Amino acid sequence: ARSRYGDEVLTSPDAAKLLGPLSPRYIVALVGLPAQAIRKHSRDLKEHIQIRLKSKPAIMAEDVRFDASGQPGLVNVYCAFPKGLNGSPVIELEDGEVELVLQLDERVSRKFKLKEMVYEGKLEL
C-alpha cells in the first residue's frame, strides 16, 4: 500500500480498502509454471495443491485461478487456502515452517520459514 499510495497511505480511501479486513484465506501465487502441465490438470488442480505443516493437518486449496498473460508457455496460478475455516488449521509462528506442495506429474515444493515473515513482532500472512 505504501509503494502504491506513498505518503497518502494513511488518508487514502483506496489504501484503506486495500488494507481493510484481512481475508479468512491464505493466497499463494505460483509464478511461471509450464502451461501445458497446468492445462492438463486444470479441472482438478486444487486437489493437487496443499500447505503442509509439521504438527497440523495439511491445508488443501479451496480455489485456484489462472493467469496466462505472462511469458508464452507459462502460467501463473493463484491458490486460496482456508485460514481457520471449517476446521482447517491456522498457521502460527510456533509451526516453524510451512511447505507448499504441488503434486502433478512431478512434485514441486517450497519451504518457508515463518520467522522470516514476522513484521513488528507479529506473523504476517
Side-chain angles (χ1 to χ4, degrees):
R2 184 165 300 281
S3 67
R4 182 179 287 177
Y5 299 102
D7 292 337
E8 297 176 14
V9 71
L10 298 177
T11 58
S12 167
D14 291 330
K17 287 180 192 173
L18 182 65
L19 297 171
L22 296 176
S23 170
R25 288 165 182 74
Y26 303 107
I27 306 297
V28 178
L30 305 169
V31 179
L33 297 175
Q36 185 175 5
I38 298 303
R39 200 170 310 132
K40 180 179 172 183
H41 295 278
S42 63
R43 293 182 193 256
D44 65 345
L45 188 61
K46 72 180 182 179
E47 297 171 17
H48 298 277
I49 302 173
Q50 60 182 257
I51 297 174
R52 292 187 182 168
L53 301 122
K54 286 184 180 179
S55 59
K56 295 178 182 174
I59 306 171
M60 303 301 294
E62 66 179 11
D63 190 23
V64 176
R65 302 203 180 176
F66 309 95
D67 172 20
S69 62
Q71 296 182 10
L74 300 178
V75 66
N76 300 330
V77 178
Y78 302 93
C79 311
F81 297 89
K83 184 191 293 185
L85 300 173
N86 300 322
S88 70
V90 174
I91 299 171
E92 299 172 309
L93 186 59
E94 294 77 27
D95 293 320
E97 70 179 20
V98 296
E99 180 180 22
L100 179 70
V101 177
L102 169 61
Q103 181 69 51
L104 296 175
D105 297 330
E106 295 183 32
R107 183 178 192 267
V108 177
S109 71
R110 172 80 193 261
K111 291 184 180 182
F112 299 90
K113 294 186 183 301
L114 296 173
K115 68 181 179 181
E116 295 173 359
M117 298 180 188
V118 173
Y119 178 73
E120 293 186 357
K122 182 179 170 194
L123 180 61
E124 295 292 338
L125 294 177

